[in-house]
Amino acid sequence: MTEIIFDHEDFDFETLEEELKVDEQCQRLLQQFYFWLQQRHLAQEQASDLAYSADYYLRDYVLDFLQRNALRPQSGQVRYFAGNWYITRTLEPEAAVLNRHLQAITELYRFMHELKLISADDFAQIERESSEWEFYQQRIAAFLSLAGEGYESWERDCPLETEHRSCCNERT
């Protein structure tokens, strides 16, 4: 299969029509990612699982929810996905499933970095955010044990800043 060349501008959108074209570009990127995973000697089933998880993150979260260019990751983007978005949009959030998503996200951005679509600094940030397993497991456990009006407090620990749609802040 011939490698498709991607440009950052191909993932910019403002209108619904442009968003649909970007969605097609994301599908092409994910297909290339799937083949890349297989070239790294992953079994088809493993590559398929990771590509599916990357698709969920890229198209449902980054493109549809955040309305962002998939090739321009922002600090906190993965942290908010794992620490809030996945948890609140999943009927029964599980740490094992989230860990698979985070592995897929890391590999997707590693692929993008190898294609020189993201910088080494962006990739390092993604790796840091993807590796906060204990924090995300604690977030799932706390969410599943919420009672009454505890949601607001839980959500404040990993909020999405709506004005700029930037992701949750680093904990100090």
Side-chain angles (χ1 to χ4, degrees):
M1 167 155 231
T2 13
E3 186 173 317
I4 300 169
I5 305 298
F6 300 101
D7 291 318
H8 287 85
E9 295 74 28
D10 293 341
F11 291 83
D12 288 332
F13 62 96
E14 292 181 11
T15 67
L16 179 59
E17 184 177 317
E18 291 171 342
E19 184 176 351
L20 293 173
K21 288 179 183 177
V22 169
D23 184 72
E24 290 175 13
Q25 283 293 90
C26 286
Q27 289 177 42
R28 288 184 188 101
L29 178 69
L30 289 162
Q31 184 179 43
Q32 290 296 315
F33 173 61
Y34 172 73
F35 292 127
W36 178 82
L37 288 169
Q38 289 182 334
Q39 290 172 350
R40 296 175 62 89
H41 306 293
L42 285 180
Q44 276 187 326
E45 185 176 326
Q46 287 178 299
S48 182
D49 285 347
L50 289 175
Y52 174 80
S53 287
D55 182 20
Y56 174 68
Y57 168 81
L58 198 62
R59 293 173 58 214
D60 290 359
Y61 174 66
V62 176
L63 184 62
D64 189 46
F65 178 72
L66 293 179
Q67 300 279 297
R68 288 189 182 154
N69 182 315
L71 303 184
R72 293 189 173 102
Q74 295 182 14
S75 177
Q77 183 171 302
V78 171
R79 184 176 171 84
Y80 184 79
F81 168 81
N84 195 318
W85 193 86
Y86 163 78
I87 298 168
T88 59
R89 283 159 181 79
T90 303
L91 189 56
E92 293 183 35
E94 298 178 35
V97 174
L98 178 57
N99 286 340
R100 186 184 72 232
H101 288 315
L102 291 169
Q103 179 186 4
I105 291 165
T106 300
E107 292 306 312
L108 175 65
Y109 283 108
R110 183 183 320 278
F111 168 69
M112 289 182 184
H113 177 61
E114 284 188 14
L115 291 180
K116 304 209 182 322
L117 296 173
I118 65 167
S119 70
D121 289 342
D122 285 340
F123 179 62
Q125 178 68 33
I126 298 297
E127 280 189 309
R128 274 191 300 280
E129 291 178 25
S130 294
S131 69
E132 296 181 27
W133 308 93
E134 290 177 17
F135 173 70
Y136 302 134
Q137 289 172 342
Q138 176 273 326
R139 295 282 297 158
I140 290 172
F143 180 77
L144 292 175
S145 66
L146 284 176
E149 297 184 20
Y151 178 79
E152 288 81 17
S153 174
W154 178 88
E155 204 276 334
R156 274 193 304 272
D157 286 341
C158 192
L160 178 67
E161 296 176 20
T162 55
E163 180 179 323
H164 300 293
R165 289 229 168 184
S166 61
C167 297
C168 56
N169 300 319
E170 294 295 318
R171 295 176 76 93
T172 54

